[in-house]
Amino acid sequence: MSIWIVLAVAVLAAAAALAVLLPQRNTRRLQQRFGPEYDRTVRAHGGRTREAEHELAGRLRQARQLALTRLPQRRAEEVGSRLTALQELFVDEPARSLEEAVTLLDGTLDEIGFPAGDRLAVLSVDHAALVPDYRSARQVLERSRSERVGTEELRTALLAVRDLCLEVARSGGEQRRTARAGSSAGAVHHAGPRPATR
């Protein structure tokens, strides 16, 4: 009889350990995947980690259901060339160059198949490292439509849009497919010419 008690206690102890370890493992996985976006989401939920992790898990599920397409190489090169032209335009018209870069990115995301609604949430699944700067860039763009914004702020915003646009143009849905196969999809900041400041 005592051996059954020992076994029952062992099973209960193992179950209790799993109940603690599995959520911790899930938290680490989400923190690694989303980076700063994990902390931002927790803050947005008032520090309620479980609710934030539920949202992030939902983003992962949504991304898995997308039928993203990779841009043809020629089209990706066209996007890169257009970004270079916009960086040159920045010298004379910084606000306009940022506006057109955002329009180019939106069009590129449409071509790849990212949904128009809640686009940033879906982008954060495979491009989490670039999303915070892009979110800030959108805020700078909105302010530039109603007030004067400094050239340095506009330059930083344009670089953020450029980095994200280059990454999605070059990777398309490839990062998401690779991530689903089990590898980690890290975001890469592509090197390139920096817009000149006045």
Side-chain angles (χ1 to χ4, degrees), residues 78-123:
E78 288 173 357
V79 170
S81 297
R82 180 61 182 147
L83 285 168
T84 299
L86 290 175
Q87 289 178 216
E88 293 169 0
L89 174 66
F90 182 90
V91 176
D92 296 317
E93 300 183 72
R96 180 182 161 202
S97 69
L98 175 59
E99 182 93 46
E100 293 192 16
V102 170
T103 299
L104 176 65
L105 174 57
D106 285 340
T108 303
L109 293 171
D110 288 339
E111 288 183 61
I112 292 170
F114 282 91
D118 211 15
R119 183 165 272 180
L120 275 176
V122 178
L123 278 169

Side-chain angles (χ1 to χ4, degrees), residues 15-142:
L18 281 175
V20 171
L21 293 176
L22 289 179
Q24 290 177 349
R25 181 182 176 191
N26 184 56
T27 295
R28 285 194 300 271
R29 180 178 63 88
L30 290 172
Q31 286 173 330
Q32 184 176 20
R33 183 63 180 266
F34 287 96
E37 188 69 7
Y38 177 93
D39 295 329
R40 180 191 172 276
T41 307
V42 171
R43 288 194 302 272
H45 283 276
R48 294 182 296 275
T49 303
R50 181 177 293 184
E51 292 179 17
E53 291 184 352
H54 180 74
E55 178 187 329
L56 294 172
R59 295 186 196 182
L60 286 168
R61 285 192 299 273
Q62 183 180 3
R64 289 190 194 105
Q65 294 169 0
L66 295 178
L68 301 182
T69 59
R70 189 180 180 91
L71 289 184
Q73 183 175 348
R74 181 176 176 182
R75 177 61 184 138
E77 289 170 357
E78 288 173 357
V79 170
S81 297
R82 180 61 182 147
L83 285 168
T84 299
L86 290 175
Q87 289 178 216
E88 293 169 0
L89 174 66
F90 182 90
V91 176
D92 296 317
E93 300 183 72
R96 180 182 161 202
S97 69
L98 175 59
E99 182 93 46
E100 293 192 16
V102 170
T103 299
L104 176 65
L105 174 57
D106 285 340
T108 303
L109 293 171
D110 288 339
E111 288 183 61
I112 292 170
F114 282 91
D118 211 15
R119 183 165 272 180
L120 275 176
V122 178
L123 278 169
S124 72
V125 172
D126 292 320
H127 308 282
L130 299 179
V131 164
D133 287 344
Y134 175 63
R135 187 179 280 112
S136 297
R138 291 300 296 248
Q139 292 170 353
V140 170
L141 175 61
E142 288 302 316

